[in-house]
Amino acid sequence: MVSDQETNQLRYQYSPISPAVGREEQDVGQEEEEVVGAAQEEVQAMLDNVKSVAPIIGAISGALQPVKNHSTASSMETKLYARRWVMLIIFVLVFMTNAFQWIQFSIINNLITKYYGVESSTVDWTSLVFMVAYIPLIFPGAWIMDKMGLRVTLLLGAFGTTAGAWTNVMSVAPDRFYVALMGQTLSATAQVFLLGVSPNVAAVWFGPEQVSSACAIGVFGSQVGIALGFLIPPILVKDHEVKEAIGDDLLFMFYIVAGVSTLLLLIVIIVFQAKPSLPPSTARYLAAQQPSPTPLTYYQSVKRIVTNRNYILLLFTYGINVGVFYAMSTLLNQVVLQHFPGEEENCGRIGLTIVLCGMVGSVLFGFILDKTHKFKETTLAVYIFVLASMAAYTFTFKLDHIAITFVTAGVTGFFMTGYLPVGFEFAAELTYPEPEVTSAGLLNASAQFFGIIFTILGGWLLANYGSLVCNGTMLGALLVGAALTLPIRAELKRQKANQTGEESKDAIKDGNP
């Protein structure tokens, strides 16, 4: 705005030059004064208008700012629901019935060969089919999990397990071993929707301070099922002179498994939920912001995972460890009976000891991970103890004292199966924000691959060279796995995401978005 003083200065600035010019400038100055005055009035009117709407603008501005902050804070809100434990227990029970079926034939290998009239290596395929089916089905299975969520995945797993159990009921006849293989194949297909889901159940329902422990409890499903699979078949199915009596025992066992599986399927349909209303952790919230997966984006996720050097090293170390466990479990009946003939029930009890000790190890190592977040250190320490315990298990068979075998097998199980949740959680950390089910699924595919190799190779070595060479070969494989663990770099991406997210939430609460 031009002031009166400036106007007068302009008016008289050139007047001393000459009277004529001065009078001319005075006339011009008067015109300028009129123009400036009109301009002043217009500007003043505009200012008055601005003043009149200023309170409205201020109110709108004040209203908009709190809404923005509130929206951001709400979107980062997390909550732990008490029903998370119900969801975890349901998953554990379904997983348990499926894992039971994996080992139910192999642990009574000698009785199955007698009833169906097949070779022991043929009976091994009732267990191997779980490993073979998993490898080609892992990618579509994991995509279904990622696309459709936990509820659909668990429904498929429960339904397949139930269908396999009822098919086994129909296999009880000496000429129907092929039906038993069909039932095992159905259960093996259902396993695809269960085996790698433990870390996903933990991540979807549990917070950062419980996620590793919840994953360990989820792995319990497999361990409890395998434990019961070791224990119950030798108790229920006895060695009879007449084949029909063995068949009656098998039928009774199959009916129990089918009934339990059916009940659990109904519970999943009625009770199980896909996810909570609010995410349990900041990392889960951030992961949920990823777009809904498509086959293309899923395979892109797989590509990113398999190009992660640290994950690839873990893929081999995990596969070797768990593959040895699969072979050890499948061949347990044959190994023990080679040294202790007539000890079928003790074969099951040794297997039970392996798994029960492994359950304790899983809980302990999951708790350690939650408290320390030392993933590589825990992985390496567990692997070293696996080597030592497997060496003891291998060489103490020569002492011909079954009590010592119980001890060495239990210690091996404590570390070997205790490694399962450690591997799952380490993989989730290395590959975040990729879906946990994808990283876990690939780990399991690696375990199935090595399990097939070690089981077939171990069975051949056992038959031709004895248990020392068989178990010694697996010990050598574990040594390779331990060596591959050393160069893994512990890039804990999920832990960093949780930390960054919590800092952001604190900043929002303090009014500093």
Side-chain angles (χ1 to χ4, degrees):
M1 185 184 297
V2 182
S3 65
D4 293 338
Q5 183 179 358
E6 290 172 336
T7 303
N8 291 333
Q9 183 177 356
L10 288 170
R11 184 186 301 167
Y12 297 107
Q13 184 174 5
Y14 299 103
S15 59
I17 297 176
S18 68
V21 174
R23 285 193 298 270
E24 184 177 346
E25 291 297 330
Q26 286 179 351
D27 295 339
V28 173
Q30 289 176 354
E31 293 177 0
E32 289 177 351
E33 184 176 4
E34 293 175 358
V35 172
V36 170
Q40 286 178 324
E41 292 177 359
E42 291 179 6
V43 171
Q44 187 62 43
M46 291 173 62
L47 289 174
D48 292 340
N49 290 335
V50 170
K51 288 179 181 179
S52 66
V53 299
I56 300 174
I57 295 174
I60 295 172
S61 177
L64 286 175
Q65 188 64 27
V67 168
K68 180 180 180 181
N69 286 342
H70 177 72
S71 176
T72 306
S74 297
S75 65
M76 297 287 282
E77 187 178 354
T78 61
K79 182 179 179 180
L80 289 177
Y81 294 84
R83 64 179 180 273
R84 68 190 184 278
W85 296 106
V86 176
M87 305 304 144
L88 183 60
I89 291 171
I90 292 173
F91 169 75
V92 165
L93 293 175
V94 173
F95 200 5
M96 176 191 73
T97 55
N98 183 270
F100 179 95
Q101 294 181 56
W102 169 62
I103 204 67
Q104 64 183 342
F105 286 94
S106 292
I107 197 58
I108 50 174
N109 186 294
N110 60 315
L111 301 182
I112 298 299
T113 59
K114 182 177 180 178
Y115 179 72
Y116 287 106
V118 295
E119 298 293 329
S120 60
S121 58
T122 305
V123 178
D124 288 342
W125 278 99
T126 60
S127 172
L128 281 170
V129 70
F130 279 72
M131 308 176 202
V132 173
Y134 189 86
I135 295 174
L137 295 176
I138 170 57
F139 293 114
W143 181 77
I144 289 172
M145 164 73 225
D146 215 27
K147 177 71 174 177
M148 300 184 180
L150 273 176
R151 177 174 167 80
V152 172
T153 303
L154 193 59
L155 278 170
L156 291 171
F159 179 79
T161 300
T162 304
W166 284 107
T167 303
N168 283 335
V169 169
M170 295 183 287
S171 73
V172 181
D175 60 345
R176 293 185 191 171
F177 183 74
Y178 71 94
V179 179
L181 277 179
M182 290 172 58
Q184 292 298 94
T185 302
L186 287 171
S187 296
T189 303
Q191 178 199 223
V192 175
F193 303 101
L194 300 170
L195 190 57
V197 179
S198 297
N200 196 265
V201 174
V204 167
W205 283 96
F206 289 81
E209 299 304 318
Q210 295 178 331
V211 65
S212 295
S213 298
C215 180
I217 295 172
V219 174
F220 266 18
S222 174
Q223 294 175 327
V224 172
I226 294 170
L228 294 175
F230 280 130
L231 179 65
I232 293 176
I235 294 175
L236 295 182
V237 184
K238 301 295 185 180
D239 189 2
H240 301 283
E241 293 295 329
V242 181
K243 282 187 177 183
E244 287 73 14
I246 297 176
D248 292 339
D249 291 348
L250 284 172
L251 185 62
F252 179 65
M253 181 179 72
F254 291 154
Y255 268 127
I256 293 174
V257 177
V260 172
S261 300
T262 304
L263 176 62
L264 288 172
L265 175 60
L266 294 175
I267 291 174
V268 172
I269 293 172
I270 297 170
V271 179
F272 194 82
Q273 294 176 293
K275 61 182 179 180
S277 300
L278 293 174
S281 67
T282 305
R284 190 65 202 172
Y285 163 77
L286 295 174
Q289 303 310 303
Q290 302 295 323
S292 179
T294 63
L296 179 61
T297 58
Y298 172 74
Y299 288 112
Q300 288 173 343
S301 176
V302 172
K303 182 179 179 181
R304 286 191 294 269
I305 288 177
V306 299
T307 54
N308 184 323
R309 172 184 174 274
N310 296 312
Y311 177 80
I312 290 299
L313 290 171
L314 181 64
L315 189 70
F316 280 96
T317 63
Y318 183 93
I320 291 171
N321 187 304
V322 182
V324 168
F325 170 73
Y326 288 159
M328 180 181 172
S329 300
T330 302
L331 301 174
L332 182 64
N333 173 272
Q334 299 167 63
V335 171
V336 173
L337 291 182
Q338 192 175 90
H339 292 276
F340 308 104
E343 295 285 355
E344 286 89 358
E345 287 195 22
N346 273 329
C347 290
R349 290 169 185 154
I350 291 172
L352 175 66
T353 302
I354 291 172
V355 179
L356 290 178
C357 291
M359 291 166 63
V360 176
S362 294
V363 173
L364 176 62
F365 299 133
F367 178 79
I368 290 173
L369 289 180
D370 277 334
K371 294 299 180 183
T372 66
H373 304 303
K374 300 292 184 181
F375 287 85
K376 179 181 177 179
E377 293 84 348
T378 304
T379 301
L380 187 58
V382 171
Y383 229 117
I384 292 172
F385 283 111
V386 166
L387 278 171
S389 58
M390 186 65 185
Y393 175 79
T394 299
F395 294 104
T396 54
F397 269 111
K398 291 296 183 181
L399 299 177
D400 289 330
H401 289 290
I402 197 167
I404 296 176
T405 300
F406 268 92
V407 173
T408 57
V411 174
T412 303
F414 178 83
F415 291 106
M416 189 174 285
T417 59
Y419 178 82
L420 296 175
V422 175
F424 280 150
E425 289 300 292
F426 198 11
E429 293 290 339
L430 293 174
T431 59
Y432 181 86
E434 307 302 337
E436 293 88 352
V437 70
T438 306
S439 62
L442 291 173
L443 285 186
N444 283 320
S446 175
Q448 311 301 329
F449 174 77
F450 283 106
I452 293 169
I453 293 175
F454 293 148
T455 301
I456 294 175
L457 177 61
W460 180 78
L461 291 173
L462 182 64
N464 292 279
Y465 300 99
S467 66
L468 183 63
V469 174
C470 172
N471 290 331
T473 301
M474 296 185 195
L475 180 62
L478 289 170
L479 183 61
V480 174
L484 291 175
T485 305
L486 289 171
I488 298 177
R489 291 179 57 191
E491 297 179 354
L492 308 183
K493 299 176 182 178
R494 188 171 64 179
Q495 295 295 324
K496 292 179 181 178
N498 272 321
Q499 182 179 358
T500 303
E502 290 301 320
E503 291 173 355
S504 299
K505 288 170 64 177
D506 291 340
I508 291 171
K509 290 178 181 178
D510 294 338
N512 299 310

